[in-house]
Amino acid sequence: MSDYMDFSSDNINIFEMLFDESTSMEDDEANVRTGWKMFQKSFDNFPERNSIAVSICKFSDSFEPDEFHAIDDMKFRYCPYGATALYYSIVKGAEHLTDYINRVTEKKGIVPKATFVMFSDGEPCNDPGSRSKAENAIENLNYAGVTTVFVAFGNGITSNFGKEMGFVSTIDVNNRDDLVNFLGVELSKSCKEQSMSMKSLGANFFSKATSGNSQSSGYSQTTNQVLDDTSWIDDI
């Protein structure tokens, strides 16, 4: 299957998610799978969904790229192992996203809005990449108008790491029990806001999704309603 190109409008939005699959995520495996599936389902009635492309790449010892899919065709396999090649994955992920942006622009004659999201629960470990090259990759994405987002998960890393690397939007998700709610509700809301906005949200990427919403307050009512139907959880 080739990368998705059949957008239904000129309002094209691209989301590349770089998701930590290192061994330290082992206890979160079920919540990761559920959270991403709920993220997908949350777009069922979203009017812009056919003009959105998503790639969920993973990283541990290395970088594992994913094709860009329509929301309805999102695929996700998750099996934590290995170390955290964070710097290396930033560089390779930036290349992967830039290549797709260029192909969409050439084919459609439209420069899409693009968002680069990195999710990690730890700092680099046994990383074959360099910090300077990763910082340069983020700087280039920012210069190109891509919204760069860093999500620090758990207690092994903080959003300060992302700020120091140059990401324009950062957030801490300290409570590991909030993972499903974060992926399925808050990240989803932010992606929808980005899709409806006339310009990239930049530093305000999470502002509307988290305003008045405490992550430690537990799952939202919408989350619970979706989780009541478990028939789709294993179909991932």
Side-chain angles (χ1 to χ4, degrees):
M1 180 180 178
S2 60
D3 284 324
Y4 180 64
M5 288 283 178
D6 191 21
F7 301 101
S8 62
S9 79
D10 292 343
N11 180 29
I12 299 173
N13 285 271
I14 296 170
F15 296 93
E16 183 180 71
M17 315 287 191
L18 274 63
F19 202 85
D20 192 337
E21 197 181 29
S22 62
T23 302
S24 56
M25 292 292 296
E26 202 167 37
D27 292 340
D28 305 291
E29 182 174 346
N31 283 342
V32 169
R33 292 172 180 269
T34 301
W36 278 124
K37 193 63 180 180
M38 202 174 85
F39 175 92
Q40 180 185 38
K41 286 180 70 68
S42 73
F43 285 85
D44 281 354
N45 298 312
F46 185 61
E48 300 289 341
R49 81 178 193 278
N50 292 325
S51 286
I52 295 173
V54 179
S55 170
I56 305 180
C57 305
K58 292 167 288 186
F59 64 94
S60 53
D61 290 333
S62 188
F63 173 70
E64 183 181 335
D66 178 46
E67 292 175 340
F68 284 86
H69 302 276
I71 287 285
D72 292 346
D73 297 324
M74 279 176 56
K75 305 295 181 184
F76 191 68
R77 298 289 182 271
Y78 194 69
C79 185
Y81 72 97
T84 310
L86 198 154
Y87 295 145
Y88 177 81
S89 299
I90 288 175
V91 173
K92 291 300 181 182
E95 292 173 356
H96 182 59
L97 176 59
T98 301
D99 175 68
Y100 184 62
I101 290 171
N102 291 338
R103 286 189 288 120
V104 170
T105 302
E106 181 179 357
K107 181 166 181 141
K108 298 296 183 180
I110 299 166
V111 179
K113 291 200 303 290
T115 306
F116 178 92
V117 182
M118 170 158 268
F119 180 106
S120 183
D121 79 332
E123 297 196 13
C125 175
N126 296 333
D127 194 333
S130 73
R131 182 183 179 103
S132 61
K133 288 183 178 179
E135 288 176 336
N136 187 60
I138 294 299
E139 182 180 9
N140 288 339
L141 289 178
N142 292 337
Y143 183 77
V146 176
T147 297
T148 53
V149 179
F150 187 82
V151 180
F153 178 60
N155 298 313
I157 191 170
T158 72
S159 59
N160 285 333
F161 179 90
K163 292 174 184 175
E164 292 169 359
M165 291 294 297
F167 286 84
V168 298
S169 177
T170 62
I171 191 169
D172 289 293
V173 184
N174 302 116
N175 189 344
R176 300 184 86 99
D177 291 336
D178 286 331
L179 181 57
V180 172
N181 190 62
F182 175 77
L183 293 176
V185 178
E186 292 171 17
L187 181 61
S188 168
K189 285 181 180 178
S190 294
C191 290
K192 289 176 182 177
E193 291 290 341
Q194 180 81 301
S195 300
M196 293 184 292
S197 175
M198 294 300 294
K199 61 181 181 179
S200 294
L201 297 178
N204 296 317
F205 183 73
F206 284 115
S207 61
K208 291 187 179 181
T210 59
S211 59
N213 177 31
S214 171
Q215 291 178 343
S216 63
S217 63
Y219 299 136
S220 69
Q221 182 177 359
T222 303
T223 311
N224 283 325
Q225 289 172 347
V226 174
L227 291 179
D228 283 342
D229 174 16
T230 60
S231 60
W232 44 263
I233 292 178
D234 293 326
D235 181 24
I236 192 167

